[in-house]
Amino acid sequence: MNYKLQEFDDIGGMINGAAETKQQTKHLLSWMRRVIDMQFEQLIPLLQEHDLLIAANTEFAAASLAEYCGKPVIRTAFGPFIPGKKIPPPAMATPKPHPVIKPAYLWKLLNIATNFMVKKTVNKNRIAKGMKPIANFGFHAVENSHNFLMYSRYLGSTDPDWPYKWDIGGYCFNDNLVYNETVYQDLMAFIRQDDRPTLFFTLGSCNDKRRDRFCDWLLDICEKQGYKLIVGSGWSGAGKHLEENKSVYLLTQAIPHTLIFPHCTAVIHHGGCGTTHSVARAGIPQMIAPLLLDQPYWNYRVSQLQAGPEGVRIKKVTHQQLKQKVCDLMTNPAYKKNAAELGKKIQSENGIQTMCEYIERVATPH
């Protein structure tokens, strides 16, 4: 099966740009609308030469492109981004069910926001291509796609009453990341230097102005509690001011999580789908410090599954609250037991193989 990869979305540029400007909403809207125009311009010629479009749920033009070219589209998502009656939108700050406000109402609110952000630009391009404008972007994308959920059914949630074409296949781990062996061995030497428990902290691709204060507090707590601390510096450069501190290992290069997490006692992170699944697969407890998008959802799921405590907000947590959370995360036997059981379930999945089989079924229907 021949394929063509497109990389024009520049998610990293969008995240970094938003972090560097005070007008984050304006920056995000400008980025979205520019990317939609590029999708119509660049993907139509490609799709006309191929049989199937595979896109993320953030590829806002995907369903329209597939419609224009008369080709099927697989809409992938790293969370339950499908409107329904039982699961609230995972992109909202409170993703757990509300006793009064129903999920269907929240999806309508999200659809209003999504329409404001992208519908005008999508319809501008649709009309230019001789297509009818759409009324509701959020529902149009889901209704006109094969929706494939790229997360674990054991970690995330699904709504059996979704009235759309959907399936779930597990997370597609990338364990083939190229890395520096010398740096990895140096990291392992830090972990194995003694039998103290090891805590790993990272914000991944995300950023927060209070990240360095958070790192300082973690180091203080770990030193007083007898834990080793590793800080994955990530794109944001979190903890870089601790570079000369011998009590912490500052990881500034990318090492596959699968090589690190099994040697740690627990992980604190931003709550991205990939990191959440990587910690879960390693079978160790985790605590999430959510910042945006679907990260509160994964925080809710980890807490609900008792694979770690309810997370904290970096901007709001106090030193004492963080100390209590860290000690609970590192010592609670229930988290250790539940995380180990969850890890075995996720290890039984093969997200890449399941995804490939799904693509073949859609591309060659019987």
Side-chain angles (χ1 to χ4, degrees), residues 171 173-179 184 187-188 191 200-205 230-234 251 253-264 267-284 286:
Y171 190 79
F173 293 98
N174 178 15
D175 296 329
N176 296 316
L177 182 69
V178 177
Y179 64 96
Y184 173 63
L187 171 64
M188 292 306 299
I191 294 175
F200 188 101
F201 167 67
T202 181
L203 288 180
S205 60
I230 301 170
V231 175
S233 195
L251 182 62
Q253 297 191 33
I255 304 291
H257 288 160
T258 187
L259 297 178
I260 303 175
F261 291 165
H263 303 286
C264 298
V267 177
I268 298 176
H269 62 97
H270 58 301
C273 182
T275 308
T276 305
H277 277 76
S278 293
V279 182
R281 182 176 61 160
I284 60 174
Q286 58 183 299

Side-chain angles (χ1 to χ4, degrees), residues 224-347:
K224 291 178 179 178
Q225 298 299 319
Y227 306 146
K228 296 190 292 289
L229 175 65
I230 301 170
V231 175
S233 195
W235 293 2
S236 68
K240 278 214 167 182
H241 66 293
L242 300 172
E243 195 166 9
E244 302 300 324
N245 194 312
K246 302 300 181 183
S247 299
V248 59
Y249 189 96
L250 187 66
L251 182 62
T252 58
Q253 297 191 33
I255 304 291
H257 288 160
T258 187
L259 297 178
I260 303 175
F261 291 165
H263 303 286
C264 298
T265 307
V267 177
I268 298 176
H269 62 97
H270 58 301
C273 182
T275 308
T276 305
H277 277 76
S278 293
V279 182
R281 182 176 61 160
I284 60 174
Q286 58 183 299
M287 183 176 76
I288 292 174
L291 298 169
L292 72 169
L293 299 176
D294 61 338
Q295 294 165 12
Y297 169 76
W298 293 115
N299 172 41
Y300 165 65
R301 288 298 298 165
V302 166
S303 175
Q304 190 177 46
L305 294 170
Q306 286 290 289
E310 184 176 354
V312 298
R313 295 283 184 172
I314 291 179
K315 295 180 180 180
K316 296 182 178 181
V317 68
T318 66
H319 186 286
Q320 182 60 30
Q321 290 170 339
L322 183 60
K323 176 185 175 182
Q324 294 173 351
K325 289 284 187 177
V326 169
C327 292
D328 184 31
L329 171 70
M330 298 290 281
T331 62
N332 192 317
Y335 300 152
K336 185 176 181 179
K337 175 179 177 293
N338 294 333
E341 293 175 352
L342 178 61
K344 291 178 181 178
K345 293 177 181 177
I346 293 181
Q347 290 164 22

Side-chain angles (χ1 to χ4, degrees), residues 47-282:
L47 187 53
Q48 288 174 334
E49 297 176 0
H50 293 76
D51 301 314
L52 171 69
L53 176 61
I54 303 172
N57 65 302
T58 52
E59 313 287 9
F60 304 110
S64 294
L65 299 174
E67 179 184 345
Y68 179 78
C69 296
K71 307 289 177 67
V73 56
I74 295 177
R75 173 182 176 270
T76 65
F78 289 104
F81 286 94
I82 300 178
K85 298 180 179 180
K86 297 182 179 179
I87 302 174
M92 288 190 169
T94 53
K96 58 184 177 182
H98 191 277
V100 178
I101 304 175
K102 301 301 181 183
Y105 176 73
L106 295 176
W107 279 107
K108 289 181 180 179
L109 287 180
L110 181 63
N111 189 49
I112 292 173
T114 307
N115 279 336
F116 169 74
M117 291 186 290
V118 306
K119 189 178 78 169
K120 182 178 179 180
T121 309
V122 169
N123 279 341
K124 176 193 71 175
N125 284 277
R126 286 178 63 93
I127 293 171
K129 297 294 182 183
M131 305 168 68
K132 293 182 179 180
I134 58 176
N136 289 292
F137 168 79
F139 294 98
H140 174 267
V142 177
E143 291 170 350
N144 293 277
S145 303
H146 298 267
N147 299 277
F148 189 77
L149 307 178
M150 300 174 66
Y151 59 88
S152 172
R153 65 181 70 246
Y154 303 112
L155 181 53
S157 50
T158 60
D159 184 346
D161 294 331
W162 278 330
Y164 310 104
K165 294 174 287 188
W166 70 275
D167 204 342
I168 184 169
Y171 190 79
C172 296
F173 293 98
N174 178 15
D175 296 329
N176 296 316
L177 182 69
V178 177
Y179 64 96
N180 187 311
E181 180 66 25
T182 301
V183 173
Y184 173 63
Q185 292 302 329
D186 187 46
L187 171 64
M188 292 306 299
F190 176 82
I191 294 175
R192 292 169 175 165
Q193 63 180 291
D194 53 50
D195 59 359
R196 288 179 297 157
T198 300
L199 175 65
F200 188 101
F201 167 67
T202 181
L203 288 180
S205 60
C206 295
N207 199 357
D208 188 276
K209 293 179 180 179
R210 295 171 179 80
R211 65 185 186 275
D212 290 337
R213 184 191 70 174
F214 195 80
C215 288
D216 289 339
W217 286 359
L218 284 177
L219 179 57
D220 178 65
I221 293 166
C222 287
E223 287 181 330
K224 291 178 179 178
Q225 298 299 319
Y227 306 146
K228 296 190 292 289
L229 175 65
I230 301 170
V231 175
S233 195
W235 293 2
S236 68
K240 278 214 167 182
H241 66 293
L242 300 172
E243 195 166 9
E244 302 300 324
N245 194 312
K246 302 300 181 183
S247 299
V248 59
Y249 189 96
L250 187 66
L251 182 62
T252 58
Q253 297 191 33
I255 304 291
H257 288 160
T258 187
L259 297 178
I260 303 175
F261 291 165
H263 303 286
C264 298
T265 307
V267 177
I268 298 176
H269 62 97
H270 58 301
C273 182
T275 308
T276 305
H277 277 76
S278 293
V279 182
R281 182 176 61 160

